[in-house]
Amino acid sequence: MTADLRTREAVEEADRETDSAPVTLWLCSNDGLDPETARLLADHWLDAQEQKTAGKFLFERDRLQYLIAHTLVRRALSLEAGRAEAELVIWRSARGRPFLRPATDRLSQDSGVLDFNLSHAGGYNLLGIVRQARIGVDVERVEDRDQQAVATILNAIAPRERDWAQQPGPGRERDRRALRLWTLKEAYSKARGLGLGIPFDSFEFTLDDERGVRTFTPPADDEARPWRFVELEPVPGVLVAVAVPAAEGDADIHLNLGFPWSRSAPQQFPLPPPVGRSL
């Protein structure tokens, strides 16, 4: 059995657990870590594969974005796992989804398998971490999407979603509705580990006009379990979506703003009720 397969099996087994662990989010702007510090930390923390990937970027701004995002991942996972940043071993599935290699010591095993997911857009980096489950996250800035990009989104989603998004007519509210749907779809597909392998018109959300998921119709291959979806706007114009499989009981979102140098008190919100198939 390969290391990659063992990791996926461990996370899939955790996904079947009913432990309602909190969902931890870190939202960090690129301005939260100065370039020299990001480069220094990356030199000490990132593994050979990450260093190789960073070296492939043609433009320094893109390389710096990668370094900031991945030092954020290692710092936050270090706080959760209780291990030094450089000691964390990150594997990738056949589809490219990263996994933290499960620890072998009994204490770490008893605390549960960690899953994480990363997204970045418009100078913001979003990291989601959860135990005993899978997680997908997405972040988008409303101002970053031009009309061609919004049109592409509208063409990719389900017809009823498109009708709802277009109700206000052309303008910021229509663009915002389209991006709300897009972030939720991205988060769900990333939690499934399939990315754009799931057609975005094969599953459907019904949203409240302001914020929140009313109903969720999953794709045909995922009708056995419900999900919890979170919509947040921690910074004006910055939309955040989170998807986690629903477990029995209640759980919270712990939202941290800024680079995780210390464990300052996070903002806490209850996870919304499950949608989709009933528990």
Side-chain angles (χ1 to χ4, degrees):
M1 182 183 293
T2 66
D4 180 69
L5 181 58
R6 287 197 302 271
T7 302
R8 280 186 290 158
E9 287 184 347
V11 175
E12 288 166 0
E13 177 64 26
D15 191 30
R16 292 188 285 270
E17 296 288 336
T18 58
D19 182 27
S20 297
V23 174
T24 299
L25 299 180
W26 291 93
L27 182 68
C28 175
S29 74
N30 286 346
D31 294 338
L33 193 63
D34 68 84
E36 289 306 313
T37 301
R39 295 186 186 98
L40 177 64
L41 295 179
D43 285 343
H44 287 84
W45 291 355
L46 301 194
D47 62 25
Q49 182 59 48
E50 290 166 320
Q51 298 281 4
K52 182 178 179 180
T53 300
K56 292 180 178 179
F57 289 101
L58 295 177
F59 300 104
E60 180 60 20
R61 67 174 183 274
D62 297 327
R63 179 173 183 270
L64 186 59
Q65 167 65 78
Y66 181 89
L67 296 181
I68 291 173
H70 288 263
T71 54
L72 167 65
V73 168
R74 286 189 171 266
R75 175 60 180 163
L77 287 178
S78 173
L79 293 174
E80 293 290 336
R83 285 180 280 162
E85 292 83 357
E87 294 176 1
L88 300 171
V89 178
I90 295 175
W91 289 332
R92 289 185 175 272
S93 72
R95 290 180 176 269
R97 191 183 195 277
F99 292 96
L100 180 65
R101 187 180 73 179
T104 56
D105 62 282
R106 181 58 182 272
L107 181 61
S108 296
Q109 289 177 341
D110 289 345
S111 66
V113 175
L114 282 173
D115 190 45
F116 70 96
N117 196 231
L118 174 69
S119 177
H120 59 82
Y124 285 89
N125 305 276
L126 176 67
L127 175 67
I129 305 173
V130 71
R131 295 181 186 273
Q132 300 301 97
R134 294 287 292 270
I135 187 170
V137 302
D138 193 53
V139 60
E140 300 285 349
R141 284 187 61 179
V142 177
E143 301 298 337
D144 289 343
R145 295 288 183 159
D146 59 27
Q147 294 309 297
Q148 182 176 354
V150 172
T152 300
I153 291 173
L154 292 172
N155 287 331
I157 60 181
R160 283 185 293 190
E161 294 174 325
R162 186 182 310 120
D163 290 343
W164 175 80
Q166 292 179 321
Q167 279 178 5
R172 181 180 174 84
E173 181 56 29
R174 183 204 62 172
D175 298 352
R176 182 185 183 81
R177 288 188 177 197
L179 277 175
R180 286 178 61 197
L181 289 162
W182 187 259
T183 58
L184 287 163
K185 285 175 178 281
E186 285 271 16
Y188 169 76
S189 62
K190 291 170 73 178
R192 292 282 311 278
L194 299 175
L196 295 177
I198 307 177
F200 275 18
D201 60 356
S202 68
F203 57 102
E204 185 176 313
F205 292 96
T206 304
L207 305 185
D208 287 327
D209 286 346
E210 291 301 320
R211 187 177 301 162
V213 176
R214 292 181 183 176
T215 66
F216 170 60
T217 304
D221 67 341
D222 186 32
E223 295 184 343
R225 57 184 172 182
W227 288 80
R228 296 182 192 266
F229 295 100
V230 181
E231 288 189 284
L232 299 171
E233 191 173 350
V235 178
V238 177
L239 306 183
V240 165
V242 182
V244 290
E248 294 179 353
D250 297 324
D252 291 333
I253 287 274
H254 293 179
L255 172 63
N256 302 272
L257 301 178
F259 197 82
W261 291 117
S262 64
R263 282 202 177 270
S264 57
Q267 302 175 37
Q268 297 189 29
F269 313 92
L271 279 172
V275 290
R277 187 180 178 88
S278 299
L279 279 168

